Amino acid sequence: MKLAGKAWKFGDDVNTDEIIPARYLNTSDPDELASHCMEDIDPDFMNKMSPGDIIVANKNFGCGSSREHAPLAIKTAGISCVIAKSFARIFYRNSINIGLPILESEEAAAKIQEGDRLEIDLASGVIKNLTKDETYQAQPFPGFMQQIISSGGLLNYVMSRQN
Amino acid sequence: MGMTITQKILAAHAGKESVDPGELIMAKLDVVLANDITAPIGITEFRKAGAKKVFDKDKIVLVADHFVPNKDIASAQQTKLMRDFAREHEITNYFDVGNMGIEHALLPEQGLVLPGDTVLGADSHTCTYGALGAFSTGSGSTDFAAAMITGEAWFRVPESMKFIFYGKRQKWVSGKDLILHLIGDIGVDGALYKAMEFTGEAIADLSMSSRLTMCNMAIEAGGKSGIIAPDKVTLDYVESRANRGYRIYESDPDAEYCEVREYDVSKIKPQVALPFLPENTVPISEVTDIKIDQAVIGSCTNGRLEDLRIAAQILRGHNIHPDVRLIVIPATQSIYMQALYEGLIEIFIEAGGVVSTPTCGPCLGGYMGILAEGERAISTTNRNFRGRMGHVDSEVYLSGPAVAAASAVLGKIASPEEL
Ligand code: SF4
């Protein structure tokens, strides 16, 4: 699967309260959640971004609560992939389980700048920076997780094994 | 090579002799947990996947705690989804207004998590139960939905970090101060993906309540889990509560740790975490003249009876500062009741505070004490992220109950010694 879009940069330790504040957790409607995506870190984010764009962050992206509303809001907002130096564990797990592509790459996180045009090949983990004419290699997913992703998320995987 | 307590528990639940860090396993679960925020998404997923039955109605725990008694129509609709599901599937351990409590205080109190268990909870502070010698970790709603169907979850066996605490605690220092100090030392991602094992004579000297507080905040260092091997304190706690068998595990002397750190607790003063990360910790002696508008004593971190007793001991005979709103929230109904018997509630109200029915409420900025722009709170909760308790330009300072109570009286962040 190939993804392409513009990079939006964020710093260290972006937490789930910034991605989707708890005051909106009285709903689980994905579109409603998406409309507040990243609101407490960049109130203008949803107006600026376009579908397909890519979030690029530094260390420990998605730290804080276990709310799946966070990757869900990002995915429904139209973000095609999140690249970070590292992810908080539950966020990482949730993203895979709901099918939001995420990639870990220290080099990409350091070198990509806001506005760079990126092209990503998920299967190989190769990230191309078209603006800078650079290529970075992200950690590919372990086989076990690839199975979950290729079944279209954890529940499809579980149900296919149940039947 | 020996195994850590975490490896042993996971191996037993994966049906294996031994497991190594990094290994991916499928583990059987003893408890599968979710709340009124995370369960509705999981239940919707469960239905969408076409699942008809839960794997075991006795092993699923559903707790309405974040927004109940429901704060608005949307949260009422959301909780109803969980209420209806609990009835439809005859979930044995379903807790609602009247018998509920904040999940991570409630489950240990009710004897629902026991030593040696493996627990998956759709709430990041599920790591709390490590204090009972269980492997317990937070997940999202999809994991929860899958676990309700299969009774299993996949895990990557974590590496373990060992934290040895020795020495004698200073006055007013509790588990909260030890864990805040530790997070200040290693940072909010200092234990990313790792199991955090707490041990040493100073841990043995801690009450169950303080141990639960410490494991509760393992996630605040990025940890996958926190764990304390069961000892006499643990067994005294679970003995009267357990309705089923349990198993005691402990780490082998030659178990492998990716890192070992030691702390002399006699050097640790009461701690405060400054905005906007739990790692911004300083000893109370370094905090000067920070005026507060609100003090919150409660949450799954510090809403237990021991915490309320400490707060009451400080508040007895004092009036809170006229510019401060003090909100006290006992974490469960039975803690509430016991606080009533002991006269603690009276002390809080006489001091000028308010006491709420158990709820997460302000801890996550839900309701019952939302901060306005520019306001500041001292809080016994576990997160001080930007906007966590209300407006994005409000501030939360984290502390244990002693500092929170003293601050409520003095109107600024202060040590009980200043009273
Ligand atoms: S009290 Fe706070 S941290 Fe604990 S479960 Fe509730 S919202 Fe989460």
Side-chain angles (χ1 to χ4, degrees):
Chain A
M1 200 159 107
K2 288 232 198 279
L3 310 168
K6 208 165 55 177
W8 295 99
K9 285 275 290 198
F10 294 89
D12 285 336
D13 304 315
V14 171
N15 68 67
T16 50
D17 282 273
E18 289 170 321
I19 299 170
I20 180 76
R23 58 183 177 277
Y24 303 122
L25 297 187
N26 57 6
T27 176
S28 42
D29 174 41
D31 292 324
E32 177 68 26
L33 294 172
S35 71
H36 301 293
C37 183
M38 309 307 275
E39 188 172 293
D40 279 2
I41 192 164
D42 181 357
D44 213 25
F45 182 71
M46 286 304 291
N47 296 327
K48 297 191 298 199
M49 61 86 58
S50 317
D53 283 356
I54 291 154
I55 288 177
V56 182
N58 222 335
K59 74 170 176 83
N60 201 24
F61 186 85
C63 65
S65 88
S66 66
R67 64 190 68 158
E68 211 158 287
H69 311 67
L72 198 61
I74 292 175
K75 188 182 173 201
T76 313
I79 293 292
S80 65
C81 181
V82 183
I83 299 170
K85 181 177 170 194
S86 64
F87 289 93
R89 183 198 138 252
I90 302 177
F91 183 90
Y92 186 87
R93 190 175 175 112
N94 286 346
S95 299
I96 289 164
N97 286 347
I98 67 155
L100 169 69
I102 57 174
L103 292 174
E104 251 178 17
S105 164
E106 184 166 354
E107 194 191 1
K111 291 193 173 158
I112 295 170
Q113 282 174 315
E114 181 136 313
D116 286 358
R117 310 253 4 141
L118 308 178
E119 216 177 73
I120 297 169
D121 182 0
L122 274 187
S124 63
V126 171
I127 303 165
K128 276 198 190 133
N129 188 333
L130 304 179
T131 308
K132 291 206 163 62
D133 197 19
E134 290 174 343
T135 304
Y136 326 107
Q137 179 66 53
Q139 294 256 348
F141 288 126
F144 188 78
M145 291 176 189
Q146 277 182 29
Q147 269 182 29
I148 294 177
I149 292 168
S150 63
S151 329
L154 180 66
L155 277 177
N156 289 340
Y157 172 74
V158 160
M159 290 310 282
S160 67
R161 292 211 321 168
Q162 290 272 307
N163 297 330
Chain B
M1 176 63 66
M3 289 197 287
T4 63
I5 177 170
T6 302
Q7 283 169 276
K8 286 185 186 175
I9 297 173
L10 286 175
H13 287 78
K16 295 182 152 212
E17 281 289 305
S18 69
V19 294
D20 292 317
E23 192 175 334
L24 283 163
I25 55 159
M26 207 36 115
K28 292 225 174 312
L29 302 169
D30 300 293
V31 179
V32 176
L33 163 76
N35 58 51
D36 54 326
I37 290 186
T38 56
I41 295 189
I43 290 166
T44 307
E45 291 293 315
F46 178 93
R47 293 197 174 122
K48 257 203 329 229
K52 296 276 176 287
K53 286 204 327 269
V54 299
F55 82 105
D56 185 339
K57 70 183 180 56
D58 297 330
K59 290 188 176 166
I60 292 166
V61 183
L62 297 176
V63 187
D65 57 1
H66 280 61
F67 293 155
V68 302
N70 287 123
K71 67 172 182 125
D72 55 20
I73 295 170
S75 68
Q77 291 292 118
Q78 192 170 247
T79 312
K80 186 166 186 297
L81 204 90
M82 179 169 86
R83 294 186 167 125
D84 291 346
F85 182 87
R87 285 190 196 113
E88 182 190 333
H89 293 272
E90 297 172 343
I91 303 299
T92 318
N93 294 302
Y94 169 60
F95 298 91
D96 205 332
V97 175
N99 67 354
M100 54 72 81
I102 301 173
E103 54 202 289
H104 309 308
L106 186 71
L107 271 64
E109 170 192 296
Q110 299 289 321
L112 293 174
V113 178
L114 296 172
D117 280 357
T118 292
V119 183
L120 182 87
D123 190 277
S124 59
H125 294 102
T126 302
C127 52
T128 308
Y129 316 126
L132 298 160
F135 173 79
S136 186
T137 192
S139 74
S141 300
T142 300
D143 266 315
F144 160 72
M148 279 205 300
I149 299 169
T150 63
E152 296 178 335
W154 63 268
F155 294 109
R156 193 161 182 277
V157 178
E159 293 179 300
S160 290
M161 283 171 92
K162 180 145 92 172
F163 300 92
I164 304 167
F165 291 82
Y166 63 90
K168 200 160 164 40
R169 269 175 294 137
Q170 297 182 21
K171 195 169 183 208
W172 303 117
V173 168
S174 67
K176 180 65 162 285
D177 304 294
L178 304 190
I179 191 70
L180 282 176
H181 178 81
L182 185 161
I183 296 166
D185 181 37
I186 68 171
V188 290
D189 61 348
L192 203 56
Y193 303 112
K194 310 277 196 316
M196 302 171 73
E197 195 173 318
F198 306 118
T199 178
E201 59 181 21
I203 299 294
D205 185 44
L206 286 180
S207 65
M208 207 56 222
S209 181
S210 260
R211 296 178 186 195
L212 288 160
T213 303
M214 287 192 73
C215 290
N216 175 270
M217 289 191 73
I219 179 74
E220 259 48 77
K224 179 174 198 149
S225 57
I227 198 158
I228 296 171
D231 61 8
K232 179 153 183 334
V233 174
T234 326
L235 296 181
D236 283 350
Y237 184 88
V238 294
E239 202 90 305
S240 58
R241 302 164 200 264
N243 282 322
R244 58 181 165 90
Y246 52 87
R247 256 192 90 173
I248 310 290
Y249 294 91
E250 52 187 40
S251 297
D252 291 327
D254 60 343
E256 211 179 339
Y257 295 91
C258 59
E259 205 176 326
V260 179
R261 279 176 188 251
E262 296 195 12
Y263 299 95
D264 178 355
V265 303
S266 68
K267 301 217 172 82
I268 299 176
K269 293 211 165 56
Q271 301 282 305
V272 176
L274 313 176
F276 290 103
L277 284 175
E279 70 183 20
N280 298 336
T281 55
V282 290
I284 182 74
S285 48
E286 286 176 23
V287 185
T288 45
D289 223 23
I290 297 179
K291 296 217 169 13
I292 53 161
D293 304 282
Q294 179 164 297
V296 175
I297 297 172
S299 86
C300 60
T301 315
N302 284 115
R304 296 184 186 82
L305 194 60
E306 179 181 300
D307 303 309
L308 301 187
R309 283 181 184 150
I310 293 171
Q313 189 186 340
I314 289 165
L315 289 165
R316 188 194 309 267
H318 286 289
N319 283 326
I320 62 166
H321 191 277
D323 297 339
V324 176
R325 311 177 294 266
L326 168 66
I327 300 167
V328 182
I329 310 179
T332 69
Q333 285 286 92
S334 79
I335 294 169
Y336 197 174
M337 188 78 110
Q338 188 61 31
L340 200 62
Y341 287 143
E342 292 185 17
L344 309 182
I345 305 289
E346 209 175 308
I347 294 172
F348 299 137
I349 295 175
E350 272 181 351
V354 297
V355 182
S356 157
T357 185
T359 180
C360 295
C363 170
L364 80 164
Y367 68 132
M368 291 294 302
I370 301 302
L371 299 174
E373 184 174 0
E375 285 194 322
R376 273 195 203 122
I378 181 103
S379 177
T380 67
T381 52
N382 47 39
R383 290 193 174 131
N384 56 351
F385 300 153
R386 191 179 285 282
R388 173 78 177 175
M389 201 174 274
H391 196 280
V392 285
D393 293 320
S394 60
E395 293 180 348
V396 177
Y397 293 71
L398 305 176
S399 75
V403 167
S407 305
V409 174
L410 293 166
K412 58 177 180 118
I413 297 179
S415 154
E417 302 295 340
E418 293 174 50
L419 277 177

